[in-house]
Amino acid sequence: MARKDGGTRENSAYPFSSGGWGSLKAVAGALAKGKVPLRQSAVLMKQNKPDGFACVSCSWAKPADPHTFEFCESGAKATAWDLTAKRMTPQFFELHTVTELCAWHDHDLEDAGRLTAPLRYDAAIDKYVSVSWDEAFEDIGRELSGLDPKRVVFYTSGRASLETSYMYQLFARMYGTNNLPDSSNMCHESTSVGLKAAIGVGVGTITLDDFEKTDLMFFLGQNVGTNSPRMLHQLQEARKRGVPIITFNPLREPGLIKFANPQSPVEMMTPANTLISTQYHQVKTGGDTAAMLGICKAVIGADDRAKASGAPRVLDTAFIEGHTTGLEAFADYVRAASWDDIERVAGLPRADLEAAADEYMRANAVMAHYGMGITQHRQGVQNVRMLCNLLFLRGNIGKPGAGPSPVRGHSNVQGQRTVGITEKPELAPLDKLASQFGFEPPREKGMNTVEAFEAMVDGKVSAVVNLGGNLVRSVPDRLRIEPAWRGLKLTVNIATKLNRSHLVHGEKSYILPCLSRIEIDEQASGAQAVSMEDSTGCIHGSRGVAEPASPDARSEPYIVAELAKHTLGARSTVNWDRWRNDYALVRDEIAKTYPETFHDFNARMWTPGGFPRNLPARERKWRTKSGKAEFFVPETIGEDPDMPERDPQSLRLMTLRSDSQFNTTIYSLDDRFRGIHGDRMVIFICQDDMKRHGLKEDDVITLQTIADDGFQRRVSGLRIRPYDIPQGCIGGYYPECNPLLPLWHYAKESKVPGAKSIPVHIVEVNGVPRER
Ligand SMILES: Nc1nc2c(c(=O)[nH]1)N[C@H]1C(S)=C(S)[C@@H](COP(=O)(O)OP(=O)(O)OC[C@H]3O[C@@H](n4cnc5c(=O)[nH]c(N)nc54)[C@H](O)[C@@H]3O)O[C@H]1N2
Ligand SMILES: Nc1nc2c(c(=O)[nH]1)N[C@H]1C(S)=C(S)[C@@H](COP(=O)(O)OP(=O)(O)OC[C@H]3O[C@@H](n4cnc5c(=O)[nH]c(N)nc54)[C@H](O)[C@@H]3O)O[C@H]1N2
Ligand SMILES: [Mo]
């Protein structure tokens, strides 16, 4: 299953490596398709530059000395998507009823262009109609003040800036609720919970400098070529130094195999592209705990032998004794684990895991990059804890070139948590906020994303305010949640483009068009800047450079300030108008709330490369329960409790992203890397399983979730695509497959939906039901 060659065997579906000419062509195509005016496309030169704007796509770090083109194919597509010349004016909405728009494809809705004016749903004509900003704010304020704050949900998608997020959480808390779910709840919350327990901070500890000092990198369940392509720069530099990369991923992802740097003409010309992964292990979905357990078993076995023979120890005993707790219990568990179980659950032979362990034992400094393949499982938090166990064995944290590296998704998803977007009161500086602003914040736990939807299905939510996002598409169980969403009294959507969640509206519904942060944001005190935190905990300023999509669109801080003012009225102790006029004043307040990280915020935000967050684990200070880095004994070897035990017909479905989407935003129906064109309703499945289930390429199947809760979850019209993927595991696209994901299929400790391991059956082939 594993190939030590790291992929010399070409994936027949994909003749290109990631990056390369295909990537440049895709950028040009994206600009042309969006009809981006030429003067606007020059904007790309300001992307991720210290004096420019932070890309609206992924959250990968922005270097202090950026490349001339510090953007990638995905980032350029995201920029082009925002800068499009197409507009969705009120006239557009005069022409189309909401019922009619509900039949549009997700791609077509957003592709119709940027929203230009505030809109209110008019039930009498089933259309969104133009409304003035004043009217909108007044009506929303009135509606919200009449509701029980505990029944109102304030969602944030991870793009909004630190300034907006800080204002938003303060607004929600002054209003009276901690219901502040965000996209992280469906994403890296397993990291926030797992790393916090293990090392005392809920985020990764590496910075860009570590790439120059590392000896080995693990890559688990993250698809770098598609989802954080700028990181390929650092990976390639490390590979040139001979640093091995060991990948665990069920799919042979072309973007993890080879790399050609489109910004290096020499490499573009030479056929010898750099290999990314030196070992590629096609672990079974959900098999990572078992795989890491196998590596730990080989390492601890080698250490036991060294100890017995008096040879130098394999474990970093100084680190373990000085900094950790719980090794003995963990080591006993590892020694007792059987290779048979490990091989079965990981779907990998012992020899492969030992090969990974050999590299690991040779390396002095090891980083572990990981993504949704680790976090979006019933055992997502356990996976993160296992990864820490593995790193702790050889002291791979808090030293140069080493540490856990959760590759975050949205461009400021990590930062939002840093400034108080959380439903967990213990993670928010409530006392500070109370004294700083003279109010009594709510102390009881709010709802995270899954809890908010559970409550919605039970009729316990009245209103949702969406700061970005497209929840009826991104959350599990679409067929159950859409009717619940329609039952809401009020839905307020702050957005750049129209999406499905705006159409599946509540009784009252507003769409408030906002600026993208690529755009110039003029307020009373002049042009404004905002800031974000990247995946490596560095904070950057960002200044819009493009012309606003519409004179009638407003910035996010402006909209949040007005909503707060109109909802809270005299109850508020904040002068929202001053903040709205000058975001530097908001940053001063952030600095007061969080002085350790944000002192002198206004000056430091322009530090090239960003300024680092205060992260004690980087200095080997552990803010955990025990005051040490904590080893962890897994509850199970990784089996998913929702997966039927002995059912040869069952399959595990993982839901994936293509390189032509940003989450629910579908740029096109292609997936260049995986060789898919013009169709997202596909299922990746291996030849063995095709044979076993009697399927041919292009057969069209219906999948049904295996669950006995009395609710039938099906998706039809899925076309069979043979792919290099382990037996028993299949892949499909997010969000198309979301109706199959039950709301209750989540990681116990983090409530992150198990989007990478949905138990399914094939119930229909080419329209003919399957007997069972
Ligand atoms: N272009 C683009 N960039 C994006 C996004 C986008 O949609 N488009 N989304 C952004 C967001 S919000 C996020 S969170 C990130 C997501 O970025 P990633 O973390 O890369 O997420 P996915 O694409 O969902 O899938 C990750 C990989 O996990 C593998 N995988 C699935 N199951 C398992 C498993 O059990 N074990 C292992 N080891 N691997 C598994 C899949 O084959 C896939 O290669 O990207 C961000 N960047
Ligand atoms: N099955 C399955 N489900 C998943 C996942 C999966 O891998 N599989 N991944 C999960 C993950 S990791 C995530 S992060 C979530 C994401 O879930 P969401 O946060 O709900 O979705 P997005 O697609 O990121 O949001 C897109 C919308 O945001 C709005 N928007 C874009 N830019 C801006 C802006 O600058 N400001 C404002 N206010 N609005 C803007 C646009 O209207 C756009 O339609 O989905 C999760 N759901
Ligand atoms: Mo995400």
Side-chain angles (χ1 to χ4, degrees):
M1 247 172 239
R3 281 189 214 102
K4 303 289 152 32
D5 59 34
T8 43
R9 203 200 75 172
E10 219 16 297
N11 182 329
S12 57
Y14 184 73
F16 312 105
S17 41
S18 63
W21 291 120
S23 157
L24 283 185
K25 217 173 106 201
V27 169
L31 293 171
K33 179 165 183 268
K35 298 200 169 41
V36 177
L38 205 58
R39 69 194 144 74
Q40 294 282 60
S41 55
V43 160
L44 280 172
M45 302 306 287
K46 287 281 185 189
Q47 191 147 325
N48 300 320
K49 295 294 165 54
D51 62 339
F53 66 94
C55 179
V56 294
S57 189
C58 82
S59 61
W60 186 243
K62 287 105 194 136
D65 50 347
H67 300 77
T68 316
F69 305 95
E70 188 62 42
F71 61 85
C72 64
E73 175 182 340
S74 300
K77 280 181 190 162
T79 301
W81 200 246
D82 277 6
L83 293 186
T84 174
K86 300 179 198 171
R87 295 289 177 270
M88 242 187 185
T89 60
Q91 289 71 45
F92 171 91
F93 291 94
E94 281 170 21
L95 296 176
H96 304 283
T97 63
V98 166
T99 306
E100 181 207 333
L101 290 172
C102 273
W104 284 32
H105 190 278
D106 288 339
H107 166 268
D108 300 338
L109 289 177
E110 284 208 35
D111 192 45
R114 289 285 299 279
L115 293 159
T116 62
L119 301 160
R120 187 188 59 220
Y121 179 65
D122 184 340
I125 52 172
D126 186 34
K127 284 178 182 169
Y128 271 101
V129 296
S130 178
V131 58
S132 76
W133 279 104
D134 281 346
E135 253 179 280
F137 288 135
E138 266 160 36
D139 191 32
I140 296 167
R142 199 168 37 239
E143 286 289 325
L144 285 177
S145 19
L147 295 174
D148 173 0
K150 306 287 178 288
R151 294 177 60 99
V152 179
V153 172
F154 291 84
Y155 176 75
T156 329
S157 186
R159 200 172 276 195
S161 66
L162 293 170
E163 291 79 356
T164 310
S165 305
Y166 183 79
M167 291 166 74
Y168 194 65
Q169 60 84 32
L170 190 61
F171 164 35
R173 294 196 163 107
M174 286 187 158
Y175 174 60
T177 181
N178 283 314
N179 291 339
L180 285 157
D182 82 347
S183 53
S184 183
N185 290 142
M186 299 181 271
C187 183
H188 264 294
E189 186 64 15
S190 302
T191 293
S192 308
V193 173
L195 288 187
K196 180 99 181 75
I199 62 170
V201 294
V203 299
T205 62
I206 65 133
T207 64
L208 285 183
D209 293 343
D210 288 310
F211 283 83
E212 290 159 25
K213 295 161 191 151
T214 192
D215 301 321
L216 170 69
M217 290 186 247
F218 283 110
F219 236 97
L220 302 111
Q222 206 275 341
N223 190 13
V224 60
T226 290
N227 294 330
S228 50
R230 285 183 303 106
M231 188 180 184
L232 289 167
H233 286 304
Q234 284 82 36
L235 297 184
Q236 192 182 32
E237 287 306 313
R239 286 288 301 116
K240 279 187 189 151
R241 289 195 295 114
V243 173
I245 296 181
I246 304 181
T247 293
F248 286 85
N249 197 310
L251 279 184
R252 293 276 296 170
E253 295 280 25
L256 280 161
I257 292 168
K258 282 204 294 182
F259 175 64
N261 186 346
Q263 298 172 12
S264 157
V266 178
E267 268 161 45
M268 297 281 284
M269 298 305 180
T270 52
N273 297 322
T274 323
L275 286 182
I276 299 174
S277 304
T278 50
Q279 290 186 23
Y280 203 112
H281 301 291
Q282 288 181 265
V283 63
K284 265 197 203 164
T285 42
D288 297 87
T289 283
M292 288 184 275
L293 178 59
I295 304 176
C296 290
K297 192 170 170 69
V299 172
I300 288 175
D303 186 69
D304 287 343
R305 289 191 295 279
K307 205 156 99 184
S309 68
R313 295 287 297 272
V314 176
L315 303 188
D316 183 342
T317 50
F319 173 78
I320 290 170
E321 277 156 28
H323 287 284
T324 69
T325 167
L327 172 72
E328 270 324 306
F330 176 65
D332 288 345
Y333 172 83
V334 172
R335 289 185 193 104
S338 92
W339 276 111
D340 281 352
D341 287 344
I342 292 172
E343 289 186 320
R344 177 177 50 82
V345 179
L348 295 168
R350 173 177 175 172
D352 283 4
L353 297 172
E354 285 175 340
D358 285 344
E359 287 276 24
Y360 181 64
M361 289 186 280
R362 271 198 294 276
N364 285 321
V366 180
M367 294 200 250
H369 309 291
Y370 69 93
M372 297 301 101
I374 291 295
T375 61
Q376 292 180 331
H377 285 290
R378 286 293 305 262
Q379 316 287 358
V381 175
Q382 177 178 295
N383 282 341
V384 172
R385 299 293 306 261
M386 268 310 279
L387 189 135
C388 291
N389 286 338
L390 176 60
L391 292 175
F392 293 163
L393 288 180
R394 288 182 43 84
N396 279 309
I397 180 163
K399 73 179 180 190
S405 164
V407 184
R408 296 275 170 166
H410 264 297
S411 50
N412 193 37
V413 65
Q414 186 165 316
Q416 297 181 334
R417 284 271 189 269
T418 308
V419 295
I421 299 281
T422 172
E423 76 287 356
K424 295 176 183 164
E426 68 278 15
L427 297 183
L430 296 184
D431 293 336
K432 251 313 185 5
L433 294 176
S435 65
Q436 203 170 328
F437 299 106
F439 77 110
E440 192 35 58
R443 300 281 168 170
E444 66 278 25
K445 195 189 155 309
M447 293 185 270
N448 60 30
T449 305
V450 160
E451 288 160 354
F453 279 89
E454 286 170 341
M456 205 181 293
V457 169
D458 291 344
K460 292 181 184 149
V461 175
S462 306
V464 178
V465 181
N466 294 298
L467 181 53
N470 183 5
L471 286 173
V472 303
R473 278 291 189 243
S474 59
V475 301
D477 252 345
R478 181 183 311 156
L479 305 180
R480 288 179 67 208
I481 60 102
E482 280 206 6
W485 186 268
R486 282 188 197 281
L488 294 170
K489 272 196 159 42
L490 172 71
T491 44
V492 178
N493 305 288
I494 304 164
T496 46
K497 290 201 170 180
L498 185 70
N499 66 41
R500 175 95 187 160
S501 304
H502 311 151
L503 301 174
V504 182
H505 52 81
E507 212 174 293
K508 245 191 189 169
S509 181
Y510 282 91
I511 302 175
L512 307 178
C514 67
L515 296 176
S516 149
R517 71 163 169 269
I518 303 172
E519 291 160 340
I520 299 164
D521 179 1
E522 273 303 334
Q523 300 296 341
S525 70
Q528 302 297 307
V530 290
S531 52
M532 348 280 137
E533 175 180 335
D534 69 32
S535 204
T536 64
C538 290
I539 290 143
H540 307 254
S542 171
R543 201 186 289 287
V545 293
E547 285 158 41
S550 154
D552 216 12
R554 296 285 183 268
S555 76
E556 291 178 327
Y558 181 104
I559 296 171
V560 172
E562 290 295 322
L563 287 176
K565 209 167 77 184
H566 285 86
T567 308
L568 303 172
R571 271 204 288 157
S572 173
T573 54
V574 167
N575 186 336
W576 297 96
D577 285 339
R578 288 187 64 227
W579 286 11
R580 190 194 81 179
N581 293 343
D582 184 358
Y583 309 165
L585 301 176
V586 181
R587 286 186 287 273
D588 287 341
E589 300 296 335
I590 296 176
K592 273 187 219 157
T593 313
Y594 305 94
E596 274 186 337
T597 288
F598 288 104
H599 62 89
D600 306 307
F601 191 3
N602 275 299
R604 290 200 301 151
M605 69 191 275
W606 300 111
T607 312
F611 67 86
R613 228 176 105 179
N614 173 51
L615 292 177
R618 277 189 183 144
E619 276 96 54
R620 295 192 166 178
K621 293 183 188 135
W622 317 103
R623 291 197 186 158
T624 56
K625 276 202 192 119
S626 62
K628 301 267 179 153
E630 297 193 6
F631 277 100
F632 168 83
V633 178
E635 236 172 64
T636 77
I637 190 164
E639 278 137 334
D640 186 324
D642 294 337
M643 211 60 72
E645 256 175 45
R646 281 181 229 293
D647 175 357
Q649 298 302 315
S650 72
L651 293 161
R652 300 168 185 230
L653 169 70
M654 52 178 168
T655 52
L656 305 163
R657 293 163 164 76
S658 78
D659 78 322
S660 292
Q661 76 182 90
F662 192 91
N663 298 340
T664 65
T665 295
I666 311 299
Y667 304 129
S668 85
L669 303 186
D670 298 339
D671 190 351
R672 192 167 61 82
F673 288 116
R674 300 195 186 106
I676 301 288
H677 298 282
D679 191 8
R680 292 176 52 87
M681 294 298 283
V682 297
I683 287 295
F684 302 106
I685 181 168
C686 70
Q687 299 277 4
D688 276 358
D689 279 334
M690 283 172 63
K691 224 177 279 160
R692 207 156 57 89
H693 293 273
L695 299 168
K696 304 180 301 304
E697 181 160 6
D698 286 331
D699 278 350
V700 176
I701 62 167
T702 298
L703 291 178
Q704 178 170 321
T705 308
I706 306 171
D708 52 11
D709 62 351
F711 197 83
Q712 193 185 73
R713 297 174 181 82
R714 283 189 172 191
V715 172
S716 302
L718 296 162
R719 200 168 286 279
I720 290 294
R721 293 296 304 244
Y723 213 82
D724 194 347
I725 181 172
Q727 212 192 345
C729 306
I730 57 175
Y733 286 115
Y734 147 61
E736 285 79 356
C737 290
N738 281 40
L740 293 168
L741 176 54
L743 195 51
W744 41 259
H745 181 66
Y746 52 67
K748 189 171 64 188
E749 309 88 333
S750 65
K751 296 219 167 165
V752 170
K756 298 292 185 270
S757 54
I758 310 172
V760 291
H761 279 143
I762 298 171
V763 291
E764 219 176 64
V765 180
N766 300 328
V768 181
R770 274 279 152 108
E771 293 292 326
R772 357 194 52 77

